[in-house]
Structures are given as C-alpha cells and as structure tokens.
Amino acid sequence: WGLLGAAPCAARLGRPVPRSIELHTVTQGGSLADDTHFDSGSLWTLDVMLATPGDDFDGGYLQTPERGTRHHHEFGHGDAAVFVSHKRHRVSPVTRGR
C-alpha cells in the first residue's frame, strides 16, 4: 500500500520492526475484559493462535467493537489476525482448558 514509505519520517527512521513479542497463556476463567483496551506504543498487532480451539480450550474469543456490538473472531490452530494497534479489543473468558 505504500503507507509507511510515504510517511514523513520514513527516510529518517527506516522500516518498522517488531517492538515486542509477547506470549499470552490464558487459563480457565481468564480473560481480557477491559472494553477500552488497545496496544499502545505499537503500529500494528499480530495475533497468532498457537493452540487448537475446541481441543485445548473453549471460549477465549478475540472480540472487537463493530457497529455498536462486540464481534468475536474465531481462530483455528495457526490462524493469524493483523490489525492496527489502536483498535480496541478484548478476550472473552476461557471456559475450559488453556
């Protein structure tokens, strides 16, 4: 799309690189319930499913606000989502497993 190359600071700062890589393990009852959560200090977020939903755990859906409702995104093992880091998101409670 050329968005980053067209930024005024692109020549001075160069290409973006990962700032941090985090591994989150959520156990039964765990969630990220804050409706106002976003990943500050980053340009984009990459979310990769390393477990197998339905086998390893139930629940734990990535949810984003869409047109006044919470849209939950279903992932299979190895699926990924990339979104701008200032987009609000949450994770519904894990009901079984981890």
Side-chain angles (χ1 to χ4, degrees), residues 51-71:
T52 303
D55 289 343
D56 298 325
F57 71 96
D58 290 317
Y61 295 108
L62 173 67
Q63 297 177 325
T64 56
E66 307 292 339
R67 297 185 179 104
T69 65
R70 283 187 195 141
H71 179 74

PDB file of all heavy atoms in Angstrom, residues 51-71:
ATOM      1  N   ALA A  51      -2.599 -22.640  19.960  1.00  0.00           N
ATOM      2  CA  ALA A  51      -3.326 -23.794  20.497  1.00  0.00           C
ATOM      3  C   ALA A  51      -4.405 -24.224  19.499  1.00  0.00           C
ATOM      4  O   ALA A  51      -4.576 -23.605  18.444  1.00  0.00           O
ATOM      5  CB  ALA A  51      -3.949 -23.437  21.838  1.00  0.00           C
ATOM      6  N   THR A  52      -5.137 -25.270  19.845  1.00  0.00           N
ATOM      7  CA  THR A  52      -6.230 -25.747  18.993  1.00  0.00           C
ATOM      8  C   THR A  52      -7.553 -25.516  19.713  1.00  0.00           C
ATOM      9  O   THR A  52      -7.883 -26.245  20.656  1.00  0.00           O
ATOM     10  CB  THR A  52      -6.061 -27.243  18.654  1.00  0.00           C
ATOM     11  OG1 THR A  52      -4.789 -27.428  18.021  1.00  0.00           O
ATOM     12  CG2 THR A  52      -7.165 -27.725  17.723  1.00  0.00           C
ATOM     13  N   PRO A  53      -8.295 -24.475  19.302  1.00  0.00           N
ATOM     14  CA  PRO A  53      -9.583 -24.208  19.937  1.00  0.00           C
ATOM     15  C   PRO A  53     -10.511 -25.423  19.839  1.00  0.00           C
ATOM     16  O   PRO A  53     -10.542 -26.114  18.832  1.00  0.00           O
ATOM     17  CB  PRO A  53     -10.145 -23.033  19.131  1.00  0.00           C
ATOM     18  CG  PRO A  53      -8.942 -22.388  18.521  1.00  0.00           C
ATOM     19  CD  PRO A  53      -7.988 -23.512  18.246  1.00  0.00           C
ATOM     20  N   GLY A  54     -11.248 -25.679  20.912  1.00  0.00           N
ATOM     21  CA  GLY A  54     -12.149 -26.831  20.949  1.00  0.00           C
ATOM     22  C   GLY A  54     -11.472 -28.079  21.476  1.00  0.00           C
ATOM     23  O   GLY A  54     -12.117 -28.907  22.103  1.00  0.00           O
ATOM     24  N   ASP A  55     -10.184 -28.241  21.213  1.00  0.00           N
ATOM     25  CA  ASP A  55      -9.422 -29.358  21.779  1.00  0.00           C
ATOM     26  C   ASP A  55      -8.691 -28.912  23.040  1.00  0.00           C
ATOM     27  O   ASP A  55      -8.804 -29.537  24.090  1.00  0.00           O
ATOM     28  CB  ASP A  55      -8.400 -29.907  20.778  1.00  0.00           C
ATOM     29  CG  ASP A  55      -9.031 -30.656  19.619  1.00  0.00           C
ATOM     30  OD1 ASP A  55     -10.219 -31.036  19.720  1.00  0.00           O
ATOM     31  OD2 ASP A  55      -8.341 -30.827  18.592  1.00  0.00           O
ATOM     32  N   ASP A  56      -7.922 -27.830  22.934  1.00  0.00           N
ATOM     33  CA  ASP A  56      -7.120 -27.350  24.057  1.00  0.00           C
ATOM     34  C   ASP A  56      -7.911 -26.445  25.012  1.00  0.00           C
ATOM     35  O   ASP A  56      -7.588 -26.373  26.195  1.00  0.00           O
ATOM     36  CB  ASP A  56      -5.899 -26.577  23.555  1.00  0.00           C
ATOM     37  CG  ASP A  56      -4.958 -27.451  22.727  1.00  0.00           C
ATOM     38  OD1 ASP A  56      -4.827 -28.645  23.046  1.00  0.00           O
ATOM     39  OD2 ASP A  56      -4.372 -26.932  21.764  1.00  0.00           O
ATOM     40  N   PHE A  57      -8.893 -25.751  24.502  1.00  0.00           N
ATOM     41  CA  PHE A  57      -9.663 -24.814  25.328  1.00  0.00           C
ATOM     42  C   PHE A  57     -10.975 -24.467  24.640  1.00  0.00           C
ATOM     43  O   PHE A  57     -11.147 -24.697  23.435  1.00  0.00           O
ATOM     44  CB  PHE A  57      -8.857 -23.530  25.587  1.00  0.00           C
ATOM     45  CG  PHE A  57      -8.702 -22.670  24.367  1.00  0.00           C
ATOM     46  CD1 PHE A  57      -9.558 -21.612  24.138  1.00  0.00           C
ATOM     47  CD2 PHE A  57      -7.700 -22.919  23.438  1.00  0.00           C
ATOM     48  CE1 PHE A  57      -9.420 -20.819  23.005  1.00  0.00           C
ATOM     49  CE2 PHE A  57      -7.553 -22.137  22.310  1.00  0.00           C
ATOM     50  CZ  PHE A  57      -8.416 -21.083  22.092  1.00  0.00           C
ATOM     51  N   ASP A  58     -11.897 -23.887  25.413  1.00  0.00           N
ATOM     52  CA  ASP A  58     -13.150 -23.322  24.897  1.00  0.00           C
ATOM     53  C   ASP A  58     -13.234 -21.877  25.363  1.00  0.00           C
ATOM     54  O   ASP A  58     -12.678 -21.509  26.403  1.00  0.00           O
ATOM     55  CB  ASP A  58     -14.367 -24.092  25.422  1.00  0.00           C
ATOM     56  CG  ASP A  58     -14.473 -25.485  24.835  1.00  0.00           C
ATOM     57  OD1 ASP A  58     -14.255 -25.639  23.622  1.00  0.00           O
ATOM     58  OD2 ASP A  58     -14.767 -26.424  25.603  1.00  0.00           O
ATOM     59  N   GLY A  59     -13.969 -21.044  24.607  1.00  0.00           N
ATOM     60  CA  GLY A  59     -14.079 -19.625  24.926  1.00  0.00           C
ATOM     61  C   GLY A  59     -12.840 -18.891  24.443  1.00  0.00           C
ATOM     62  O   GLY A  59     -12.195 -19.300  23.482  1.00  0.00           O
ATOM     63  N   GLY A  60     -12.507 -17.806  25.131  1.00  0.00           N
ATOM     64  CA  GLY A  60     -11.299 -17.069  24.805  1.00  0.00           C
ATOM     65  C   GLY A  60     -11.311 -16.414  23.441  1.00  0.00           C
ATOM     66  O   GLY A  60     -10.279 -16.325  22.786  1.00  0.00           O
ATOM     67  N   TYR A  61     -12.464 -15.913  23.014  1.00  0.00           N
ATOM     68  CA  TYR A  61     -12.571 -15.288  21.690  1.00  0.00           C
ATOM     69  C   TYR A  61     -11.999 -13.878  21.693  1.00  0.00           C
ATOM     70  O   TYR A  61     -12.247 -13.100  22.611  1.00  0.00           O
ATOM     71  CB  TYR A  61     -14.034 -15.190  21.249  1.00  0.00           C
ATOM     72  CG  TYR A  61     -14.688 -16.523  21.028  1.00  0.00           C
ATOM     73  CD1 TYR A  61     -15.639 -16.996  21.917  1.00  0.00           C
ATOM     74  CD2 TYR A  61     -14.352 -17.305  19.935  1.00  0.00           C
ATOM     75  CE1 TYR A  61     -16.251 -18.223  21.720  1.00  0.00           C
ATOM     76  CE2 TYR A  61     -14.961 -18.533  19.731  1.00  0.00           C
ATOM     77  CZ  TYR A  61     -15.899 -18.987  20.626  1.00  0.00           C
ATOM     78  OH  TYR A  61     -16.492 -20.201  20.428  1.00  0.00           O
ATOM     79  N   LEU A  62     -11.236 -13.545  20.656  1.00  0.00           N
ATOM     80  CA  LEU A  62     -10.839 -12.165  20.414  1.00  0.00           C
ATOM     81  C   LEU A  62     -12.100 -11.420  20.002  1.00  0.00           C
ATOM     82  O   LEU A  62     -12.826 -11.867  19.107  1.00  0.00           O
ATOM     83  CB  LEU A  62      -9.784 -12.086  19.306  1.00  0.00           C
ATOM     84  CG  LEU A  62      -9.403 -10.686  18.843  1.00  0.00           C
ATOM     85  CD1 LEU A  62      -8.678  -9.930  19.951  1.00  0.00           C
ATOM     86  CD2 LEU A  62      -8.570 -10.736  17.585  1.00  0.00           C
ATOM     87  N   GLN A  63     -12.372 -10.303  20.662  1.00  0.00           N
ATOM     88  CA  GLN A  63     -13.565  -9.524  20.365  1.00  0.00           C
ATOM     89  C   GLN A  63     -13.175  -8.078  20.075  1.00  0.00           C
ATOM     90  O   GLN A  63     -12.293  -7.519  20.726  1.00  0.00           O
ATOM     91  CB  GLN A  63     -14.537  -9.552  21.547  1.00  0.00           C
ATOM     92  CG  GLN A  63     -15.040 -10.942  21.857  1.00  0.00           C
ATOM     93  CD  GLN A  63     -15.947 -10.959  23.075  1.00  0.00           C
ATOM     94  OE1 GLN A  63     -15.751 -10.219  24.027  1.00  0.00           O
ATOM     95  NE2 GLN A  63     -16.944 -11.823  23.039  1.00  0.00           N
ATOM     96  N   THR A  64     -13.839  -7.495  19.079  1.00  0.00           N
ATOM     97  CA  THR A  64     -13.620  -6.094  18.728  1.00  0.00           C
ATOM     98  C   THR A  64     -14.964  -5.392  18.616  1.00  0.00           C
ATOM     99  O   THR A  64     -15.964  -6.017  18.255  1.00  0.00           O
ATOM    100  CB  THR A  64     -12.871  -5.971  17.382  1.00  0.00           C
ATOM    101  OG1 THR A  64     -13.597  -6.679  16.372  1.00  0.00           O
ATOM    102  CG2 THR A  64     -11.457  -6.526  17.482  1.00  0.00           C
ATOM    103  N   PRO A  65     -15.000  -4.100  18.935  1.00  0.00           N
ATOM    104  CA  PRO A  65     -16.256  -3.369  18.777  1.00  0.00           C
ATOM    105  C   PRO A  65     -16.527  -3.103  17.292  1.00  0.00           C
ATOM    106  O   PRO A  65     -15.658  -2.615  16.578  1.00  0.00           O
ATOM    107  CB  PRO A  65     -16.011  -2.062  19.541  1.00  0.00           C
ATOM    108  CG  PRO A  65     -14.530  -1.897  19.567  1.00  0.00           C
ATOM    109  CD  PRO A  65     -13.936  -3.274  19.490  1.00  0.00           C
ATOM    110  N   GLU A  66     -17.691  -3.488  16.858  1.00  0.00           N
ATOM    111  CA  GLU A  66     -18.096  -3.290  15.455  1.00  0.00           C
ATOM    112  C   GLU A  66     -19.545  -2.829  15.431  1.00  0.00           C
ATOM    113  O   GLU A  66     -20.430  -3.588  15.842  1.00  0.00           O
ATOM    114  CB  GLU A  66     -17.967  -4.595  14.652  1.00  0.00           C
ATOM    115  CG  GLU A  66     -16.618  -5.282  14.713  1.00  0.00           C
ATOM    116  CD  GLU A  66     -15.499  -4.528  14.023  1.00  0.00           C
ATOM    117  OE1 GLU A  66     -15.791  -3.686  13.153  1.00  0.00           O
ATOM    118  OE2 GLU A  66     -14.336  -4.784  14.369  1.00  0.00           O
ATOM    119  N   ARG A  67     -19.776  -1.605  15.012  1.00  0.00           N
ATOM    120  CA  ARG A  67     -21.131  -1.049  14.852  1.00  0.00           C
ATOM    121  C   ARG A  67     -21.992  -1.228  16.104  1.00  0.00           C
ATOM    122  O   ARG A  67     -23.125  -1.706  16.030  1.00  0.00           O
ATOM    123  CB  ARG A  67     -21.817  -1.676  13.647  1.00  0.00           C
ATOM    124  CG  ARG A  67     -21.119  -1.374  12.344  1.00  0.00           C
ATOM    125  CD  ARG A  67     -21.894  -1.919  11.152  1.00  0.00           C
ATOM    126  NE  ARG A  67     -21.210  -1.595   9.944  1.00  0.00           N
ATOM    127  CZ  ARG A  67     -20.491  -2.468   9.228  1.00  0.00           C
ATOM    128  NH1 ARG A  67     -20.389  -3.710   9.617  1.00  0.00           N
ATOM    129  NH2 ARG A  67     -19.896  -2.078   8.132  1.00  0.00           N
ATOM    130  N   GLY A  68     -21.440  -0.905  17.255  1.00  0.00           N
ATOM    131  CA  GLY A  68     -22.210  -0.930  18.493  1.00  0.00           C
ATOM    132  C   GLY A  68     -22.334  -2.288  19.157  1.00  0.00           C
ATOM    133  O   GLY A  68     -23.004  -2.412  20.173  1.00  0.00           O
ATOM    134  N   THR A  69     -21.723  -3.324  18.602  1.00  0.00           N
ATOM    135  CA  THR A  69     -21.758  -4.651  19.220  1.00  0.00           C
ATOM    136  C   THR A  69     -20.338  -5.192  19.330  1.00  0.00           C
ATOM    137  O   THR A  69     -19.405  -4.648  18.749  1.00  0.00           O
ATOM    138  CB  THR A  69     -22.609  -5.650  18.394  1.00  0.00           C
ATOM    139  OG1 THR A  69     -21.968  -5.849  17.130  1.00  0.00           O
ATOM    140  CG2 THR A  69     -24.020  -5.143  18.176  1.00  0.00           C
ATOM    141  N   ARG A  70     -20.194  -6.292  20.039  1.00  0.00           N
ATOM    142  CA  ARG A  70     -18.908  -6.990  20.118  1.00  0.00           C
ATOM    143  C   ARG A  70     -18.900  -8.094  19.069  1.00  0.00           C
ATOM    144  O   ARG A  70     -19.733  -8.991  19.101  1.00  0.00           O
ATOM    145  CB  ARG A  70     -18.729  -7.632  21.480  1.00  0.00           C
ATOM    146  CG  ARG A  70     -18.364  -6.692  22.560  1.00  0.00           C
ATOM    147  CD  ARG A  70     -18.038  -7.482  23.815  1.00  0.00           C
ATOM    148  NE  ARG A  70     -18.031  -6.599  24.955  1.00  0.00           N
ATOM    149  CZ  ARG A  70     -18.504  -6.911  26.135  1.00  0.00           C
ATOM    150  NH1 ARG A  70     -19.019  -8.106  26.343  1.00  0.00           N
ATOM    151  NH2 ARG A  70     -18.453  -6.046  27.114  1.00  0.00           N
ATOM    152  N   HIS A  71     -17.956  -8.022  18.168  1.00  0.00           N
ATOM    153  CA  HIS A  71     -17.797  -9.073  17.162  1.00  0.00           C
ATOM    154  C   HIS A  71     -16.727 -10.033  17.655  1.00  0.00           C
ATOM    155  O   HIS A  71     -15.642  -9.618  18.047  1.00  0.00           O
ATOM    156  CB  HIS A  71     -17.383  -8.475  15.822  1.00  0.00           C
ATOM    157  CG  HIS A  71     -17.171  -9.494  14.756  1.00  0.00           C
ATOM    158  ND1 HIS A  71     -18.225 -10.142  14.150  1.00  0.00           N
ATOM    159  CD2 HIS A  71     -16.048 -10.000  14.224  1.00  0.00           C
ATOM    160  CE1 HIS A  71     -17.737 -11.007  13.271  1.00  0.00           C
ATOM    161  NE2 HIS A  71     -16.417 -10.938  13.302  1.00  0.00           N
TER     162      HIS A  71
END
